[in-house]
């Protein structure tokens, strides 16, 4: 309108692209301003870290400008919006990513260099934002990047944990966990919104009143906590659109509990109030199991309540009633973690907005979509009914109401099949009654989404079979993806430049299908030469990092063979280690002359184990014990090294992935819902050695299975093997390497005993014994290919060329079109 600040500013100052100038000279001045007044430090004397802080503030200023323009435009256009609800986001570092997405990379590099700083060194000062565990959380972050880049009117909502994922410290080969107090030196990226805050209630009682012949529920809480918003701008690439990731922090409530201040115990009252903050204090470090802990439930509810109050408030700001709520809003549940949002939306619309149950039920069923990231029924979240009833009494009533209605409808459809009714019920009966959060999410969402084609098959045939048979049309899959901005442009700048040179354009950075254009050059000698040069530089960077963190010197001529991801039995890091032991054993037993034929390897493993996961922790220790022996054996030298990279996180991944020749993805078929690490390696021209599982199946289709090293039992074989009680004979080599571990060849005999038992005969649930022979064959094939530099480089180029389909841009576009029904809304300023 005419009162529009932008229009006025425009008339007065001609500010087409904002207040701030982005040439190197203006950037320099702004950086120095922030050094002097924000950091604050003398502009004549500041170090790399202070330069980073000042730089970050200048970037944030520019982000804020774009953020305002984008949000104002969204408000004016009022498109359907997506709200992405996730308890975890692994954002990693922001500086390089933001500067690149905004298109100021060269200007910043120049500005800093004139001040005597190196952009890369300055960027490395930033601590990772690690508000998540693993693939699920990093995938959320990639999706935010794609949503912004594709101009979708979307916001993310999450929790602002004070302590992110623990830092892994290795002492004597054992994992120790240390708190990650990432906010210690401040967080220049966030905008604290003291005025955007909501009261979140807990405990108490529900009173029923009849007003005008209608029953109203009045929830009188026993505890109240304030949720305060912290906004994190997310810039798109090649667009001014900048979306928001709003994270909630818990603060003591302002109004509540004044009583106790009159009782005289002032000090204790203040201290007790402070307990409110514990809700958003710490991220739970288990990546796939949550056993009904009260604090976790509080976190979940705190998060969804604040988010939904905010969403409803924003909607009401520009709409007279709730009639078109579901035409204007899509709510995405990232796994079951935020599923209480369903009950919370019902509570708000019924109890506070006084809409009728049926109206609200219709709205709920139209707005929610639910992506599940798991394959195992055992790891589906359950909440004890008693716990829920005590913490959220009104929500328990609502859940019972939903379930009653669902059960009545279901009986009409399937008759009195009591077993099936019991399986599908949202309430699990038994000694300890529980809420099945997945069932709730399925019943109340219009769409249930798997994260790869294979994952959807498992959902249909196993995990959610009953529901699939009832509502086949609800089920879809959207194969995961990773953003090429972070995983090529930011982390592999040399490869990025090389690709652009050969494609003659940078457009692949937002139109990643163009990468297929590399296919026709895969055998070109001059591309191959440049490709090898880039890969070697990346290996050098990685080698330096390895030397610095583990003291092991590695040869750049060796194959860098990498497995980085959370440590899990199903991901089979143990299979990798047993393979390394086998390789070592072979080298030890070789005639001197034969050693010339050994292809040198550097085996690199990294990843965190959940603090309570004993088997995973033993695998980490075994890695160190084996490394100790191999790396110090003069018979082996450069032919084989084993390295554990400590404290694996997003920024470590950015360094390791571009330097890897081979990457391993070893999950037993049927256990990895998707996997996204495989995609990042693929983009960077790293060859895959992998089982046919999750998204790797689709990668093999796109790339051609001959261009990777595939091994292991297929899904249907796994089922058959397990049915036969795993009565498979493991090969002799397997028995031999297990014996070496068990007999104490690497020391710690007693400690590793139970680890060996996990893969012994009928215990071997993940089929390490069965898959060992084909694993070694795949490894041998990789060795053979590596010696043929021309062939290897061709396969490497083809890998990058095949990675377009695995961009999160494609994933997001599919969600937008088929699930959320949202359209791009590009800020024209
Ligand atoms: C996961 C899956 O295990 C992983 O295969 C998938 O790529 C990811 C994103 O969809 O989600 N599920 C899960 O609980 N975690 C994952 O990484 C922690």
């Amino acid at each position: 309108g005419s009162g529009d600040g932008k229009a006025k500013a425009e008339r007065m100052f001609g500010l087409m692209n904002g207040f701030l100038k982005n040439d190197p000279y203006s950037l320099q001045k702004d950086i120095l301003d922030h050094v002097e007044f924000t950091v604050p430090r003398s502009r004549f004397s500041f170090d790399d870290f202070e330069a980073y802080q000042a730089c970050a503030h200048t970037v944030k200023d520019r982000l804020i400008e774009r953020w305002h323009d984008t949000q104002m435009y969204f408000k004016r256009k009022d498109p359907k919006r997506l709200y992405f609800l996730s308890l975890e986001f692994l954002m990693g570092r922001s500086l390089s990513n933001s500067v690149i997405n905004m298109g100021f990379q060269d200007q910043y590099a120049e500005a800093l260099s004139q001040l005597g700083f190196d952009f890369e060194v300055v960027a490395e000062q930033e601590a990772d934002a690690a508000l998540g565990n693993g693939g699920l959380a990093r995938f959320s972050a990639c999706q935010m990047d794609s949503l912004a880049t594709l101009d979708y009117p979307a916001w993310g909502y999450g929790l602002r944990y004070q302590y992110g994922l623990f830092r892994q410290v290795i002492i004597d080969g054992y994992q120790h966990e240390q708190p990650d107090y990432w906010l210690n030196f401040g967080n220049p990226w966030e905008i604290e919104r003291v005025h955007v805050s909501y009261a979140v209630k807990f405990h108490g009682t529900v009173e029923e009143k009849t007003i005008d012949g209608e029953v109203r529920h009045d929830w009188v809480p026993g505890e109240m906590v304030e949720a305060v918003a912290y906004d994190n701008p997310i810039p798109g690439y090649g667009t001014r659109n900048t979306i928001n990731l709003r994270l909630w922090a818990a603060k003591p409530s302002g109004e509540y509990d004044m009583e106790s201040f009159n009782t005289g115990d002032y000090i204790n009252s203040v201290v007790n109030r402070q307990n409110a903050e514990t809700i958003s204090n710490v991220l739970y470090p288990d990546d796939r199991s949550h056993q009904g802990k009260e604090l976790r439930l509080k976190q979940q509810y705190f998060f969804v309540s604040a988010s939904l109050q905010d969403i409803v408030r924003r909607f009401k700001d520009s709409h007279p009633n709730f009639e078109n709520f579901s035409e204007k809003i899509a709510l995405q549940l990232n796994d079951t973690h935020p599923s209480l949002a369903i009950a919370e939306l019902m509570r708000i619309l019924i109890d506070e907005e006084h809409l009728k149950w049926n109206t609200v039920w219709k709205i709920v069923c139209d707005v929610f979509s639910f992506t599940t990231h798991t394959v195992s029924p055992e790891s589906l979240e359950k909440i004890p009914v008693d716990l829920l009833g005590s913490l959220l009494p009104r929500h328990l009533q609502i859940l019972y109401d939903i379930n009653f209605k669902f059960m009545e409808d279901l009986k009409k459809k399937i008759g009195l099949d009591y077993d099936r009714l019991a399986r599908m019920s949202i309430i699990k009966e038994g000694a300890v009654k529980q809420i099945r959060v997945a069932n709730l999410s399925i019943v109340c969402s219009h769409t249930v989404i798997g994260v790869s084609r294979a994952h959807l098959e498992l959902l249909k045939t196993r995990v959610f079979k009953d529901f699939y048979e009832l509502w086949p049309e609800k089920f879809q899959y959207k194969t995961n993806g990773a953003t090429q901005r972070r995983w090529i442009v930011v982390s592999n700048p040399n490869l990025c430049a090389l690709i652009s040179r050969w494609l003659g354009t940078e457009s692949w950075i937002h139109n990643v299908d163009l990468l297929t254009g590399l296919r026709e050059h895969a055998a070109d000698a001059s591309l191959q030469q440049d490709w090898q040069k880039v890969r070697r530089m990346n290996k050098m960077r990685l080698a330096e990092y390895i030397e610095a963190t583990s003291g092991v010197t590695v040869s750049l001529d060796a194959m860098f063979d990498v497995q980085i991801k959370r440590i899990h039995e199903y991901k089979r890091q143990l299979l990798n280690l047993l393979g390394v032991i086998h390789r070592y054993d072979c080298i030890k037993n070789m005639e001197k002359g034969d050693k010339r034929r050994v292809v040198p390897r550097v085996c690199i493993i990294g990843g965190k184990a959940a603090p309570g996961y004993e088997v995973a922790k033993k695998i980490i220790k075994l890695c160190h014990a084996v490394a100790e022996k191999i790396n110090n054996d003069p018979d082996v030298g450069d032919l084989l090294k084993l390295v554990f990279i400590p404290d694996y996180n997003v920024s470590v991944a950015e360094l390791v992935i571009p330097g890897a020749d081979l990457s391993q993805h070893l999950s037993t078929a049927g256990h990895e819902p998707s996997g996204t690490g495989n995609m990042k390696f693929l983009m960077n021209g790293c060859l895959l050695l992998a089982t046919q599982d999750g998204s790797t199946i689709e990668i093999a289709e796109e790339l051609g299975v001959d261009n990777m090293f595939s091994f292991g039992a297929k899904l249907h074989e796994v089922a058959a093997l397990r049915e036969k009680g795993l009565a498979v004979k493991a090969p002799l080599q397997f028995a031999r390497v297990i014996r070496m571990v068990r007999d104490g060849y690497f020391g710690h005999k007693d400690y590793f005993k139970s680890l060996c038992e996990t893969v012994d005969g009928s215990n071997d649930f993940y089929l390490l014994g069965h898959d060992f022979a084909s694993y070694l064959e795949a490894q041998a094939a990789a060795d053979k290919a590596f010696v043929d530099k021309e062939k290897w480089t061709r396969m490497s180029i083809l890998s990058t060329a095949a990675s377009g389909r695995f961009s999160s841009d494609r994933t997001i576009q599919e969600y937008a079109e088929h699930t959320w029904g949202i359209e791009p809304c590009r800020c024209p300023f």
Side-chain angles (χ1 to χ4, degrees):
S2 60
D4 186 339
K6 177 87 196 177
K8 266 191 204 157
E10 196 64 65
R11 278 197 303 278
M12 288 164 69
F13 309 109
L15 297 170
M16 199 52 192
N17 282 311
F19 286 98
L20 299 169
K21 297 214 161 53
N22 305 308
D23 59 281
Y25 177 78
S26 308
L27 289 178
Q28 236 174 54
K29 178 173 182 315
D30 287 359
I31 292 169
L32 291 176
D33 273 355
H34 275 297
V35 166
E36 185 91 18
F37 303 115
T38 311
V39 174
R41 201 66 174 118
S42 162
R43 64 199 177 284
F44 299 114
S45 160
F46 56 101
D47 61 17
D48 286 332
F49 180 68
E50 287 147 359
Y52 153 69
Q53 288 181 302
C55 245
H57 280 286
T58 63
V59 175
K60 186 206 199 171
D61 290 343
R62 285 155 179 81
L63 288 171
I64 288 176
E65 218 173 46
R66 290 162 173 239
W67 191 99
H68 284 146
D69 293 353
T70 310
Q71 303 313 322
M72 214 172 64
Y73 189 68
F74 286 176
K75 190 159 185 186
R76 172 145 20 112
K77 286 280 162 181
D78 193 30
K80 182 174 188 182
R81 290 166 188 250
L82 164 73
Y83 294 112
F84 186 94
L85 308 181
S86 177
L87 258 89
E88 299 191 12
F89 289 91
L90 266 180
M91 303 305 284
R93 292 173 176 153
S94 289
L95 182 60
S96 294
N97 191 229
S98 305
V99 165
I100 286 174
N101 276 14
M102 290 195 295
F104 304 148
Q105 197 177 4
D106 297 341
Q107 293 90 318
Y108 266 96
E110 195 180 329
L112 278 171
S113 120
Q114 286 172 8
L115 291 171
F117 291 88
D118 178 44
F119 183 78
E120 219 178 294
V121 175
V122 167
E124 276 167 20
Q125 304 303 309
E126 182 172 357
D128 274 35
L131 308 184
N133 274 285
L136 176 152
R138 180 56 226 180
F139 181 46
S140 302
C142 284
Q143 287 175 284
M144 293 304 292
D145 182 78
S146 291
L147 283 165
T149 298
L150 299 178
D151 296 317
Y152 285 114
W155 272 29
Y157 277 104
L159 268 188
R160 181 180 178 271
Y161 304 103
Q162 305 232 11
Y163 295 87
L165 183 60
F166 66 87
R167 283 197 319 203
Q168 178 190 55
V169 178
I170 305 291
I171 302 174
D172 205 18
Y174 296 97
Q175 168 177 301
H176 292 255
E177 299 89 32
Q178 281 182 2
D180 164 54
Y181 195 72
W182 69 296
L183 298 169
N184 229 349
F185 296 98
N187 174 9
W189 300 105
E190 65 187 10
I191 307 159
E192 184 183 17
R193 306 278 189 199
V194 284
H195 296 295
V196 182
S197 83
Y198 299 93
V200 177
K201 305 188 262 187
F202 295 102
H203 297 295
T205 50
V206 179
E207 286 162 17
E208 280 189 16
K209 289 185 212 140
T210 307
I211 299 174
D212 300 335
E214 296 216 21
V215 182
R216 293 269 167 82
H217 296 85
D218 192 11
W219 176 18
V220 184
E223 184 188 346
M224 214 140 80
V225 174
E226 205 70 16
V228 178
Y230 287 76
D231 287 347
N232 299 260
I234 312 284
Y237 175 90
T239 170
R240 274 179 69 81
N241 273 38
T242 297
I243 61 172
N244 195 15
L245 173 58
R246 177 161 284 181
L247 304 178
W248 300 106
K251 298 275 155 79
S253 162
E255 46 202 287
Y256 191 64
D257 211 23
M258 295 312 287
E259 264 313 285
S260 55
F261 280 78
N262 299 325
T263 60
D265 195 0
Y266 169 72
I267 295 294
N268 263 324
S269 302
V270 174
V271 170
N272 283 341
R273 278 166 49 82
Q274 216 54 39
N275 281 338
E277 295 190 3
T278 55
I279 291 181
S280 57
N281 248 354
V282 55
L283 167 80
Y284 274 82
D286 299 83
D287 62 344
R288 64 200 65 227
S289 61
H290 294 287
Q291 288 95 344
K293 293 271 188 298
E294 180 175 67
L295 181 58
R296 169 76 179 177
L297 185 60
K298 271 186 136 169
Q299 284 187 344
Q300 292 184 340
Y301 178 65
F302 171 78
F303 162 58
V304 301
S305 178
S307 305
L308 278 168
Q309 290 186 61
D310 196 39
I311 290 164
V312 169
R313 198 251 324 135
R314 185 170 315 110
F315 179 82
K316 282 173 69 174
D317 274 354
S318 44
H319 301 89
N321 56 49
F322 289 91
E323 238 162 60
N324 61 354
F325 191 82
S326 53
E327 283 152 41
K328 290 293 179 187
I329 290 177
L331 295 174
Q332 166 70 15
L333 301 171
N334 195 34
D335 215 288
T336 53
H337 317 153
S339 295
L340 284 173
I342 295 164
E344 178 65 357
L345 182 58
M346 296 212 65
R347 184 192 67 81
I348 293 174
L349 296 185
I350 295 171
D351 295 358
E352 291 177 7
E353 303 296 337
H354 308 308
L355 300 191
K356 294 247 187 332
W357 170 277
N358 286 335
T359 314
V360 174
W361 177 244
K362 174 105 187 39
I363 290 176
V364 163
C365 293
D366 285 344
V367 292
F368 284 104
S369 53
F370 162 53
T371 297
T372 170
H373 299 263
T374 188
V375 287
S376 82
E378 306 84 63
S379 70
L380 295 175
E381 267 187 300
K382 294 184 195 72
I383 305 171
V385 164
D386 289 347
L387 179 62
L388 194 97
S390 140
L391 197 66
L392 304 169
R394 176 61 181 135
H395 296 77
L396 185 60
Q397 290 179 344
I398 291 172
L399 293 181
Y400 267 109
D401 288 348
I402 293 175
N403 197 45
F404 177 78
K405 201 174 134 351
F406 168 54
M407 286 284 116
E408 289 304 300
D409 285 353
L410 191 57
K411 277 181 211 158
K412 278 182 216 146
K413 286 200 185 108
I414 68 166
L416 300 179
D417 178 346
Y418 286 110
D419 284 345
R420 187 160 175 215
L421 288 167
R423 285 198 305 269
M424 295 177 78
S425 171
I426 294 167
I427 316 288
K428 181 175 189 278
E429 302 291 338
V432 184
K433 273 200 199 182
Q434 291 172 317
I435 309 286
R436 293 186 180 116
V437 192
N439 292 21
L440 170 69
S441 314
I442 298 171
V443 169
C444 306
S445 298
H446 56 78
T447 310
V448 179
I449 300 144
V451 289
S452 69
R453 194 178 69 218
H455 185 219
L456 177 64
E457 268 320 294
L458 292 168
L459 298 180
K460 286 178 178 178
T461 54
R462 295 188 201 166
V463 195
F464 299 136
K465 186 167 185 287
D466 289 313
F467 287 102
Y468 177 69
E469 283 164 8
L470 180 66
W471 294 313
E473 68 287 352
K474 259 196 195 189
F475 287 74
Q476 301 179 349
Y477 77 91
K478 303 269 172 280
T479 303
N480 285 173
T483 168
Q484 66 272 25
R485 265 82 58 189
R486 166 87 41 168
W487 297 106
I488 303 180
V489 185
V490 173
S491 61
N492 200 344
N494 293 324
L495 189 72
C496 173
L498 181 59
I499 294 171
S500 298
R501 190 143 52 78
W502 276 80
L503 293 180
T505 172
E506 287 188 345
S507 314
W508 61 274
I509 299 173
H510 53 81
N511 182 7
V512 79
D513 289 337
L514 295 176
L515 284 178
T516 50
L518 288 172
R519 273 189 192 141
E520 58 180 289
H521 307 298
D524 186 304
S526 112
L527 173 60
Q528 288 215 351
Q529 203 179 17
D530 292 350
W531 198 267
Q532 284 166 9
K533 227 185 272 164
V534 165
R535 298 198 51 76
R536 198 166 171 95
M537 279 197 287
N538 294 335
K539 284 176 81 166
M540 198 156 9
R541 206 166 53 142
L542 174 53
E544 281 164 15
Y545 186 76
I546 290 173
E547 176 128 30
T549 49
S550 67
V552 181
T553 310
V554 297
S555 156
L556 295 184
D557 295 322
M559 184 201 301
F560 282 18
D561 159 350
V562 174
Q563 188 181 20
I564 40 173
K565 47 183 85 219
R566 284 297 282 254
I567 312 289
H568 261 283
E569 284 165 281
Y570 87 81
K571 293 180 189 282
R572 300 200 293 191
Q573 282 91 355
L574 183 54
L575 181 62
N576 187 351
L577 286 173
L578 295 174
V580 172
I581 295 172
H582 174 76
R583 185 174 285 268
Y584 174 60
D585 190 37
C586 290
I587 295 173
K588 289 294 278 184
N589 293 317
M590 237 172 228
E591 300 288 326
K592 234 198 177 126
D594 290 340
K595 285 194 188 170
R596 263 179 297 125
R597 287 204 300 270
V598 175
V599 180
R601 284 249 190 169
V602 178
C603 301
I604 299 161
I605 296 181
K608 293 176 182 177
Y613 190 173
E614 274 308 314
V615 180
K617 289 184 144 178
K618 289 193 180 195
I619 292 171
I620 291 176
K621 174 63 182 174
L622 179 63
C623 181
H624 286 90
V626 175
E628 170 97 20
K629 183 107 184 167
I630 295 178
N631 297 345
N632 297 308
D633 188 334
D635 291 349
V636 175
D638 273 347
L639 295 185
L640 182 61
K641 293 280 180 232
L642 174 59
V643 184
F644 187 89
I645 296 200
D647 201 34
Y648 175 58
N649 60 20
V650 174
S651 44
V652 172
E654 288 178 47
L655 189 106
V656 174
I657 293 172
D661 294 305
L662 184 76
S663 74
Q664 302 201 36
H665 308 275
L666 311 180
S667 57
T668 314
H671 287 271
E672 192 69 273
S674 166
T676 44
N678 50 2
M679 303 166 178
K680 297 162 198 167
F681 283 104
L682 189 75
M683 286 177 184
N684 283 277
C686 170
L687 274 49
L688 309 187
L689 191 152
T691 49
Q692 290 286 319
D693 196 20
S695 59
T696 304
I697 297 172
E698 293 164 62
I699 291 178
E701 285 169 5
E702 195 72 17
L703 174 64
V705 78
D706 295 343
N707 287 315
M708 60 190 280
F709 308 101
S710 182
F711 79 101
K714 304 269 194 327
L715 182 61
H716 64 276
E717 296 164 338
V718 169
L721 287 164
R722 292 217 178 111
E723 250 160 54
K724 278 191 273 173
L726 300 171
V728 264
K729 266 241 172 330
L732 284 176
Q733 304 110 308
F734 187 74
R736 183 174 161 86
V737 292
I738 287 288
R739 205 174 326 119
M740 287 170 74
V741 177
R742 211 179 38 211
D743 293 353
Y745 194 86
F746 305 100
H748 311 279
K749 201 170 145 182
D750 295 337
Y751 183 73
F752 292 136
K753 186 164 175 273
S754 63
L755 182 59
C756 293
E757 281 163 6
T758 62
V759 294
D760 188 28
S762 61
N763 284 340
D764 187 11
F765 184 74
Y766 294 108
L767 306 180
L768 279 74
H770 178 272
D771 281 357
F772 197 58
S774 73
Y775 177 66
L776 295 182
E777 278 166 30
Q779 285 287 13
D783 282 332
K784 197 166 157 228
F786 192 69
V787 182
D788 183 347
K789 286 284 163 259
E790 197 275 336
K791 177 180 176 186
W792 187 276
T793 309
R794 182 163 35 85
M795 289 168 81
S796 170
I797 296 169
L798 289 175
S799 297
T800 302
S803 66
R805 213 180 91 71
F806 304 97
S807 163
S808 47
D809 292 350
R810 191 262 315 141
T811 314
I812 283 298
Q813 210 146 2
E814 289 181 3
Y815 270 100
E817 284 168 21
H818 306 142
T819 309
W820 300 324
I822 54 169
E823 277 166 16
C825 182
R826 189 180 174 98
C827 179
F829 308 129

